[in-house]
């Protein structure tokens, strides 16, 4: 069974920083891409940042220059600086990976349960 567990959310004032972490566990064969998404109340879930196995990194325009994604083995991090009230959302970790499920190698996208980030003005 594959699990993604996020941590590091919280309440911060505008201009402050937070670092989100996500740990992937389970019978993982290979992680292709790890990413962060977010969903604000009343909005659709949106892409924030991703890093693939070749090291290619992509950011949403709204976070470029403020957020940094990094990865270490089965962990992915999101360093968020210069936070704005519009960054308030539930942040979700996402992993595109291959894992052995019931003895069968399976490629699938997994999601974490989300961690709340609130930025006050």
């Amino acid at each position: 069974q594959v699990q993604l567990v996020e941590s590091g959310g919280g309440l911060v004032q505008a201009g402050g920083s937070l670092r989100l972490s996500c740990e992937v566990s389970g019978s993982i064969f290979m992680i292709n891409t790890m990413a962060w998404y977010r969903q604000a109340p009343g909005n659709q879930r949106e892409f924030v940042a991703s890093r693939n196995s070749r090291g290619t990194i992509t950011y949403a325009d709204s976070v470029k220059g403020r957020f940094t994604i990094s990865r270490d083995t089965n962990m992915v991090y999101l360093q968020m600086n210069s936070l704005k009230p519009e960054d308030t959302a539930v942040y979700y970790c996402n992993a595109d990976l291959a894992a052995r499920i019931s003895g069968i190698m399976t490629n699938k996208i997994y999601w974490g349960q989300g961690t709340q980030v609130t930025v006050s003005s």
Side-chain angles (χ1 to χ4, degrees), residues 14-81:
S17 298
L18 282 175
R19 187 188 193 215
L20 305 183
S21 300
C22 173
E23 181 177 11
V24 182
S25 63
S27 301
I28 298 163
F29 175 71
M30 183 176 67
I31 299 175
N32 300 310
T33 300
M34 295 193 77
W36 289 94
Y37 286 73
R38 67 186 182 186
Q39 187 168 16
N43 291 354
Q44 290 188 335
R45 192 171 298 187
E46 64 176 8
F47 170 79
V48 175
S50 67
R51 186 188 188 281
N52 68 18
S53 58
R54 294 185 297 275
T56 301
I57 291 175
T58 305
Y59 294 102
D61 287 343
S62 58
V63 306
K64 280 181 182 177
R66 300 188 299 121
F67 290 11
T68 302
I69 188 171
S70 60
R71 181 182 158 186
D72 180 13
T73 313
N74 66 328
M75 298 287 297
V76 66
Y77 306 96
L78 187 67
Q79 178 66 44
M80 304 185 294
N81 299 328

